Amino acid sequence: MRIAPVLVLALQLALPALLRAEDPAPRPSDEEAAKKTEELKAALKGDSDDAKREAIASCADCPHPKVAAALAPVLVSGTDELRTAAAQALGRMSGLADAAKALHAALAPNEKHGKVLEALFAAIESVNHPSSVPVCQKWVNDRNDLRDSDEVNGVLLAIDALGGLKWKASVDALIAIWNKKKVSGRGGGTGGGYKDKCRKHAEGALRRLTAEAFGDVELWEDWWKKNAKNFNDDMTTK
C-alpha cells in the first residue's frame, strides 16, 4: 500500500516538533538563578506575606542549586504556611539533587509540624531523586524502632513517598520495611493496629511501583527475586 505524498510530508514536518517536545527543559543559567535568589531574599526581608508567598512560588520556575539553597532556610524558620509553600516550590524541581537535599534536611525540624511534614514528603516524591529512598527508609526504621504501639509522625507519609519514588531501590526498601518484625508482626509485640496500617501502606506503595498485587511479604520477596532483573534502576522495563 502506498502512502500519500501529503501524509509523508506531514509526518516529516511533525517529527522534529515531536522530538523537541520530548527533550527536557533547559536548566536555568547561573545569572537567572542569582536574580531569582535576590528577589526571594528581598521579599523575605519585607513585611508583606503575599509578596513572600509569591516570591517563593516563583522559585519553582527556576530549578537551580542556588535557588534550592535559598529556599532551604524557609523550610525550617518560616511560618508553617511559608514552609509549606517552600516545600511545594522545591517539589516542582524534578530530579534536582539540591532540591531533594533541602527537603531531606527539613524533615526532622518539622516532625511536629504535621501539615509541613506532609508537604515535605509529597515534595520529596515529586522531585523523585534516588537519594530520597534511603532517607525515607531510615525515617521509617528509626521511628518504628523507638516504639511500636502508637502511630509515629511521618512514618506512613514516608512509606507512601517510597511508592512514588520510581527506583528499584524503593522496592527493596519497602520489602525490607515490611519484613521488620515491628511491621510484619513476627515475634509478637504490641501495636497491632499500627502495624496493620504500615503493612497496608507498604503493600499499596509496592503496587504503585510494580502494578503487581500480593497479600504477603514473602510472596513479594519471591516475585521480586525473580523479576528485579527485568527492570532498570528507574523502574522502566528492559
Side-chain angles (χ1 to χ4, degrees):
M1 182 178 67
R2 298 181 62 187
I3 301 176
V6 175
L7 179 58
V8 172
L9 179 60
L11 290 171
Q12 289 174 337
L13 292 172
L15 184 59
L18 291 172
L19 292 175
R20 286 195 300 272
E22 293 178 357
D23 291 338
R27 290 294 189 187
S29 66
D30 290 344
E31 291 76 15
E32 290 171 323
K35 180 181 178 182
K36 186 65 66 176
T37 299
E38 290 305 314
E39 290 173 351
L40 174 64
K41 289 179 179 178
L44 292 175
K45 288 179 181 178
D47 296 326
S48 171
D49 288 340
D50 287 341
K52 292 176 183 179
R53 285 191 295 269
E54 289 174 6
I56 290 170
S58 71
C59 287
D61 299 324
C62 192
H64 189 282
K66 289 182 179 179
V67 178
L71 284 169
V74 184
L75 293 172
V76 296
S77 61
T79 64
D80 280 10
E81 184 181 10
L82 294 182
R83 294 184 192 202
T84 298
Q88 291 170 341
L90 287 164
R92 290 176 56 190
M93 300 183 184
S94 179
L96 186 66
D98 294 86
K101 181 180 178 181
L103 293 164
H104 299 163
L107 287 173
N110 285 289
E111 188 165 5
K112 295 183 180 179
H113 298 251
K115 293 294 184 182
V116 180
L117 197 62
E118 185 176 347
L120 288 170
F121 277 114
I124 285 171
E125 179 180 333
S126 295
V127 173
N128 192 36
H129 194 271
S131 65
S132 296
V133 175
V135 170
C136 290
Q137 183 177 10
K138 188 175 188 300
W139 182 275
V140 174
N141 287 339
D142 287 352
R143 281 147 189 80
N144 278 352
D145 285 342
L146 289 174
R147 58 184 186 182
D148 64 358
S149 57
D150 298 322
E151 191 163 324
V152 188
N153 287 344
V155 165
L156 300 182
L157 293 173
I159 293 174
D160 290 344
L162 283 168
L165 292 169
K166 306 298 185 183
W167 302 99
K168 284 176 72 173
S170 294
V171 179
D172 293 322
L174 286 163
I175 291 174
I177 287 169
W178 192 346
N179 241 332
K180 294 196 76 171
K181 70 178 182 179
K182 292 195 175 183
V183 174
S184 69
R186 290 193 289 269
T190 58
Y194 174 60
K195 291 175 182 177
D196 189 52
K197 283 184 180 180
C198 288
R199 287 194 293 270
K200 287 180 178 178
H201 280 256
E203 183 178 7
L206 286 167
R207 288 186 179 191
R208 287 176 64 196
L209 285 168
T210 66
E212 298 290 337
F214 305 101
D216 185 272
V217 68
E218 292 179 355
L219 295 176
W220 277 106
E221 283 183 299
D222 290 342
W223 177 83
W224 188 235
K225 286 177 182 177
K226 295 174 183 176
N227 292 277
K229 63 181 183 294
N230 298 324
F231 294 89
N232 296 307
D233 287 341
D234 62 356
M235 286 303 292
T236 54
T237 54
K238 293 181 178 179

